[in-house]
Amino acid sequence: MQLNHYLNFQGETEAAFNFYKSVFGGEFALMKRYSELPDAQVSGKEKDYILHVSLPINGFTVLMGSDTTDQFCAQTQIPFTKGNNHYISINLDASEQAEAKRLFDALSVNGQIEMPLEKTFWGALYGAFTDQFGVKWMVNCQLEAM
């Protein structure tokens, strides 16, 4: 299991991560845009928003992030708030599916589920929630190579 920081922005992810890259060095492990989504239904300005970016910081830490969209905020009923745009991301491999479910279920007790733990188009079990103490979490159990 690996714990990483996951940051959300609203249209500033690319600029923010280019800045972080200039500070920490290295190369992006992955950068995908909303326009690359199957059946992408985003506004013209949002098609170039970042769906996901990963910047390895060292052998143990990856800084990750994405842009939120107006549609996503409306669906989850969670407005984007600059400064409150941080998640702890729990990353597990395919052999740890049961642990992913256990952690999701245990940590989300009395919290607010943003997205239930379910299989995604990127080949993972993924879910997100805010725990009972207001901490935002993501659980990503990668089942297939990206």
Side-chain angles (χ1 to χ4, degrees):
M1 178 187 344
Q2 186 179 37
L3 295 177
N4 291 304
H5 299 282
Y6 202 102
L7 307 175
N8 288 126
F9 298 92
Q10 201 162 33
E12 296 180 309
T13 299
E14 189 166 12
F17 271 76
N18 280 327
F19 170 73
Y20 300 142
K21 182 178 163 185
S22 75
V23 172
F24 293 110
E27 296 298 325
F28 297 125
L30 183 70
M31 184 181 283
K32 296 282 185 183
R33 298 184 185 278
Y34 276 92
S35 60
E36 298 176 64
L37 270 171
D39 301 321
Q41 296 179 5
V42 292
S43 69
K45 75 172 186 169
E46 293 174 340
K47 70 177 174 53
D48 288 329
Y49 276 14
I50 302 301
L51 175 65
H52 179 77
V53 60
S54 298
L55 178 63
I57 303 298
N58 59 37
F60 305 102
T61 305
V62 179
L63 185 62
M64 298 181 285
S66 65
D67 285 308
T68 61
T69 64
D70 293 335
Q71 179 184 13
F72 179 78
C73 290
Q75 285 175 340
T76 62
Q77 300 179 347
I78 300 171
F80 174 82
T81 305
K82 201 168 193 170
N84 186 21
N85 51 343
H86 179 268
Y87 286 80
I88 298 173
S89 178
I90 301 172
N91 300 283
L92 303 113
D93 63 34
S95 68
E96 299 174 290
Q97 291 178 55
E99 180 68 353
K101 180 169 178 19
R102 185 190 75 76
L103 289 169
F104 184 91
D105 291 346
L107 287 167
S108 65
V109 166
N110 298 323
Q112 179 182 3
I113 294 177
E114 185 177 310
M115 184 175 171
L117 187 67
E118 59 191 16
K119 189 161 184 188
T120 64
F121 70 88
W122 66 85
L125 287 176
Y126 172 84
F129 58 91
T130 302
D131 73 17
Q132 61 187 314
F133 302 104
V135 177
K136 294 181 171 206
W137 295 84
M138 297 175 170
V139 175
N140 190 81
C141 181
Q142 198 63 43
L143 305 173
E144 304 166 15
M146 290 178 61

